[in-house]
Amino acid sequence: MNRHHWWRDAVIYQVYVRSFLDSTGDGIGDLAGVRAGLPYLRKLGVDGIWLSPFYPSPQHDHGYDVADYRDVDPVYGDLDEFDRLVASAHRLGIRVLLDIVPNHCSSEHPWFREALAAAPGSPERARFHFADGRGPDGSEPPNNWHAMFGGPAWTRVTEADGRPGQWYLHMFTPEQPDWNWRNPEVADEFDQVLRFWLDRGVDGFRIDVAAGLFKHPELPDSPDPEADARTRDSVNPLAWNQPEVHDVWRHWRAVCEEYTARDGRERLLVGEVSVPSAREHAKYVRPDELHQAFFFDLLGAPWDADAFRKVISEAMQDIAGTGSTVTWVLNNHDQVRTVTRYGEPAEGSGLGAARARAAALLMLALPGAAYIYQGEELGLPEVVDLPDDVLTDPIFRRTGSRARIRDGCRVPLPWSGQASPFGFTSGAEGAKPWLPQPEYFAEYATHRALADTRSSWHLYRDGLQLRSALHQLGEGTLRWLDTQPGVLAFARGDDLVCAVNFGTAPVPAPVPGTPLLSSGPCRPGELPGSTAAWWIDGS
Ligand code: GLC
């Protein structure tokens, strides 16, 4: 490779704006709060931030229901505050990615309101998927697709004359109508939206549901609608991963390149791509498409050496093998946090916390880019006991089950102090975070983490520092080393060996000497259970 592209081994921090830091005292995080937190992120050593959606939205899905793609919701600030945030981030060397939501908008979006007011067959309706129902009176949905968040993927509208009329498609909630990407007006609109934000200086976009957008042109029945509904993954083969979507990413890449040609700054497109295999995934990161796509198989792997080895090997072969880099992720705003996920079923034993730290060190040693979700660096567990009446996830409302709900990983961050709101909100006494914080969050507050060199925060900070010292850690491949069962070890060039003990009993370390960095205390020559370590050449 002739030139290093910053994004190939970047570490990006996901800011869930609503829960990061509240500057106004209303109990909801905001853009000014993010700006106030930048020095903290600079200290941590990340290359950039991805901001979850802050656009005007009725918040049926916390901003993933966008009513206006070119503004800031007053709850989060305004465009001037946004500009200040980007300027401050850039001064600190932190790049800024926005979250763009092209698969669907909000039912409050002006174009959808126009579509509702217009007649069947009108150009206004052609921007979405409107169709007549089945059955003699059209009272059955046009096909059998399920929505991802429960219930059918179609909702019937009432026409201007007051009679029940056509149906519209929404792969998530009814408040999130899907755009019709076969209509060129939609593509043009998004082209303009990208340029609007690029002109304001952003460094790129995280693309929501990037395997979505196009549906099978005839919207036929799904062969197995029950399977489509079983997980939150995009499995309906007629609704996701249609070949036409790749043309959109080629176009968006060209728009980014156009801006780079003007000012030399490389922009980054990272897709949320849920597809059935690493090979399918690789298609999204071909050289003229997205720069990155989250590789979710690592996140989905159980705490097991063979499972980790399998998904890592597949990614290296099928994705990195094509010349792209792999984008690793262990946590995000949709998933149970690693500390809790790896702790099950023995929760409370500290095992989950130890494993989460080990997994983080493993992720940071892998070739490619990595994303950290806010609070992960603090070792925050999932809040599993939020009472029903505070839950806001539409999945809970639509399925009536807590099984897949996401509020528990979105509880506002603790910054300082011994009691909620732990410095999260600057509001007067009594100001309440939008989701209640448990008392034990005191142990994880950033002030405490920074002061304690054994904290997860220090592990992440040290790992990030070493990554940048080992120039271009994101490039190249890895070589598996022979180990006993239950242990993974790999070398990265001549520089680094990383080993992880997935078991609970200590094993002989694969490298002599004391590791330079480890996720828990290590004696020379030994790798304790649930621990990862790095040995650096010459250390
Ligand atoms: C993505 C987002 C998720 C959102 C969904 C619908 O999966 O990460 O939070 O609910 O898309 O936009």
Side-chain angles (χ1 to χ4, degrees), residues 216-466:
H216 187 289
E218 276 132 44
L219 304 174
D221 275 341
S222 164
D224 190 355
E226 298 315 316
D228 303 343
R230 219 164 286 141
T231 71
R232 222 174 38 215
D233 287 334
S234 327
V235 286
N236 177 344
L238 305 159
W240 310 109
N241 199 25
Q242 304 299 296
E244 296 89 338
V245 75
H246 294 284
D247 293 334
V248 177
W249 307 142
R250 282 190 199 101
H251 177 71
W252 286 27
R253 178 70 175 253
V255 171
C256 289
E257 303 294 343
E258 191 186 310
Y259 277 78
T260 304
R262 276 189 222 163
D263 61 13
R265 281 169 49 213
E266 277 190 292
R267 293 351 188 248
L268 161 61
L269 297 173
V270 53
E272 183 201 22
V273 173
S274 299
V275 285
S277 69
R279 273 201 200 148
E280 275 306 299
H281 181 107
K283 294 186 184 162
Y284 286 77
V285 285
R286 288 178 285 206
D288 60 347
E289 296 197 33
L290 305 179
H291 304 79
Q292 304 177 337
F294 298 118
F295 180 67
F296 289 122
D297 293 20
L298 186 67
L299 188 156
W303 182 253
D304 173 83
D306 291 339
F308 267 58
R309 184 174 170 141
K310 179 169 179 288
V311 297
I312 293 169
S313 298
E314 266 170 19
M316 293 312 298
Q317 186 179 319
D318 295 340
I319 303 170
T322 66
S324 168
T325 52
V326 185
T327 299
W328 307 100
V329 55
L330 291 168
N331 290 279
N332 67 30
H333 65 294
D334 293 329
Q335 305 290 339
V336 174
R337 287 184 179 275
T338 34
V339 170
T340 304
R341 216 162 69 216
Y342 297 146
E344 286 160 356
E347 238 186 284
S349 61
L351 213 51
R355 290 170 173 174
R357 288 164 60 100
L361 213 50
L362 165 79
M363 173 174 82
L364 292 178
L366 291 170
Y371 281 67
I372 299 171
Y373 173 50
Q374 72 180 33
E376 176 182 337
E377 80 285 11
L378 301 172
L380 270 190
E382 182 86 358
V383 181
V384 290
D385 54 0
L386 290 167
D388 284 1
D389 60 350
V390 303
L391 298 179
T392 63
D393 190 336
I395 296 180
F396 179 60
R397 184 168 41 86
R398 293 187 56 76
T399 62
S401 147
R402 297 176 63 106
R404 291 187 261 144
I405 54 163
R406 302 164 295 172
D407 295 280
C409 65
R410 299 174 177 180
V411 174
L413 286 191
W415 290 85
S416 58
Q418 295 302 321
S420 179
F422 301 111
F424 164 72
T425 161
S426 62
E429 229 174 283
K432 278 205 189 127
W434 68 278
L435 280 174
Q437 300 161 304
E439 272 169 37
Y440 65 77
F441 263 33
E443 289 165 42
Y444 299 91
T446 62
H447 282 201
R448 208 151 147 175
L450 261 72
D452 177 0
T453 53
R454 292 159 313 171
S455 68
S456 292
W457 190 87
H458 279 272
L459 179 70
Y460 276 80
R461 203 276 313 263
D462 293 352
L464 290 176
Q465 265 180 4
L466 277 173

Side-chain angles (χ1 to χ4, degrees), residues 471-482:
H471 193 50
Q472 297 191 10
L473 198 58
E475 296 299 335
T477 184
L478 58 79
R479 186 163 47 86
W480 292 111
L481 306 178
D482 286 340

Side-chain angles (χ1 to χ4, degrees), residues 305-306 309 481-489 500-502 505-510:
D306 291 339
R309 184 174 170 141
L481 306 178
D482 286 340
T483 51
Q484 65 189 84
V487 179
L488 287 189
V500 190
N501 181 356
F502 285 78
V507 295

